[in-house]
Amino acid sequence: MFTVALAILLAMWRLLRGPTVPDRILALDTLNVTAIAELMLLGIHLRTAVYFEAALIIAMLGFVTTVVLSKYVIRRDIVE
């Protein structure tokens, strides 16, 4: 869990410091994946299903966010 927490800190550093917009989008996606991993590990450690459901919600929102931001960077328009 400490290694995943370190990965979250590094992804946040890249999100705040990233030189380009695609770097920041990639950092946000990495942050989503590491947050999901941290919640899964916490759920396994505490033996409860609540954290798994929260990880599923974050996964769905993270996917939609990445797709929308990538589409915005490519076309400069979200709605077709």
Side-chain angles (χ1 to χ4, degrees), residues 4-72:
V4 177
L6 178 64
I8 288 174
L9 290 175
L10 291 172
M12 289 182 73
W13 179 75
R14 178 51 63 189
L15 181 67
L16 296 173
R17 180 102 181 166
T20 63
V21 175
D23 285 336
R24 292 179 183 197
I25 292 173
L26 185 61
L28 184 64
D29 191 44
T30 304
L31 189 62
N32 285 329
V33 170
T34 52
I36 291 166
E38 189 74 29
L39 282 173
M40 296 295 283
L41 289 172
L42 189 62
I44 291 170
H45 179 70
L46 296 177
R47 295 186 178 140
T48 181
V50 175
Y51 295 103
F52 300 121
E53 294 170 3
L56 182 62
I57 291 171
I58 289 175
M60 290 187 299
L61 289 175
F63 174 74
V64 170
T65 303
T66 303
V67 168
V68 168
L69 288 173
S70 298
K71 188 175 178 181
Y72 178 73

